[in-house]
Amino acid sequence: QMQLVESGGGSVQAGGSLRLSCVASGYTYSDNCVGWFRQAPGKEREGVGHIDRRGSASYADSVKGRFTISRDNAKNTLYLQMNSLKPEDTAMYYCAQSGWWNCTYMYWGQGTQVTVSS
């Protein structure tokens, strides 16, 4: 089993930056799929950024050019650097990881709240 714990959320004014971290423990993998998701009140969960098994990153159009996803396998940590934050980025942010055998997200963190004020 893998456990994921997010941190780094908080309140920030529009235009500000935050860096989210997600530390994995238990059984961890270095070449699985990893990603960040978010869910705002009354809205469906959406993918924000992903790294596939080859290490290629992809982003939702709404965050492209502002957010950067990265992973440090030596620290078992996934990051999401968020710059130029907008009020519409306000949401609970979750990290997720797949097993080593496919790219289906199986492990989820509890979430960290990000609030952006105008």
Side-chain angles (χ1 to χ4, degrees):
Q1 283 288 352
M2 182 189 299
Q3 293 79 42
L4 302 176
V5 178
E6 303 98 334
S7 62
S11 297
V12 64
Q13 289 192 327
S17 297
L18 285 173
R19 188 176 80 157
L20 306 184
S21 300
C22 173
V23 178
S25 61
Y27 287 113
T28 60
Y29 311 106
S30 60
D31 59 353
N32 59 337
C33 294
V34 295
W36 286 96
F37 294 77
R38 68 185 181 186
Q39 187 167 20
K43 295 187 177 182
E44 293 187 354
R45 185 178 63 194
E46 63 171 343
V48 175
H50 306 274
I51 299 177
D52 65 19
R53 296 181 67 186
R54 296 171 298 176
S56 297
S58 61
Y59 301 92
D61 288 343
S62 58
V63 307
K64 203 171 292 184
R66 299 188 298 122
F67 290 12
T68 302
I69 186 173
S70 61
R71 68 188 300 176
D72 184 337
N73 289 331
K75 296 182 179 179
N76 292 326
T77 302
L78 177 67
Y79 301 101
L80 184 67
Q81 178 67 45
M82 305 186 295
N83 299 328
S84 303
L85 283 161
K86 304 176 181 181
E88 51 264 44
D89 295 320
T90 295
M92 186 71 78
Y93 283 71
Y94 301 89
C95 63
Q97 296 204 22
S98 72
W100 60 266
W101 55 94
N102 60 23
C103 206
T104 300
Y105 287 110
M106 297 180 58
Y107 308 104
W108 294 83
Q110 293 300 308
T112 185
Q113 177 68 37
V114 172
T115 302
V116 184
S117 59
S118 58

